Amino acid sequence: MSELLRLGTMALQEAKTLQRVLAERGVALELDHNDHTCTRGCTVTVEMLINPQDLALVQDVLREQFQNLSQGLTVNWQQLNTVFDPTQSEATCPACGEIFTTKQATCPGCGLCF
């Protein structure tokens, strides 16, 4: 059997929901706590691990979930892909579109940290 592939870290309840959805499609998603990447306390996060051969199906499920969540919303992909460049004098927040000086470490519009 091949080594499990780490998908990333997710909030525990969201990971359990994804685990249930994937189980309905015959895919096992293991949840694991890693002291270096996960948190405890108010926001508990876990690492998600799968068999590498299940990656394409997991990507399909995540894509479907994203499409369902964003259905009917207008997404500005150019803004979303904006990169914070501290060598520039101004930045545009990818979350809310606020334009602000790069001397600030957080967006004054929504509080996103850079």
Side-chain angles (χ1 to χ4, degrees), residues 46-64:
V46 292
E47 283 191 352
M48 302 171 298
L49 302 104
I50 59 160
N51 286 318
Q53 69 266 17
D54 294 328
L55 181 59
L57 181 61
V58 172
Q59 289 172 325
D60 289 342
V61 168
L62 291 172
R63 190 176 300 108
E64 288 171 16

Side-chain angles (χ1 to χ4, degrees), residues 26-39:
V27 174
L29 175 69
E30 289 191 26
L31 306 181
D32 185 35
H33 180 81
N34 178 334
D35 286 330
H36 298 292
T37 61
C38 300
T39 59

Side-chain angles (χ1 to χ4, degrees), residues 80-112:
L80 191 62
N81 290 319
T82 301
V83 176
F84 180 82
D85 184 354
T87 65
Q88 300 296 314
S89 61
E90 287 186 335
T92 302
C93 178
C96 72
E98 178 94 12
I99 297 172
F100 59 99
T101 175
T102 56
K103 292 178 182 174
Q104 296 174 266
T106 33
C107 172
C110 68
L112 182 66

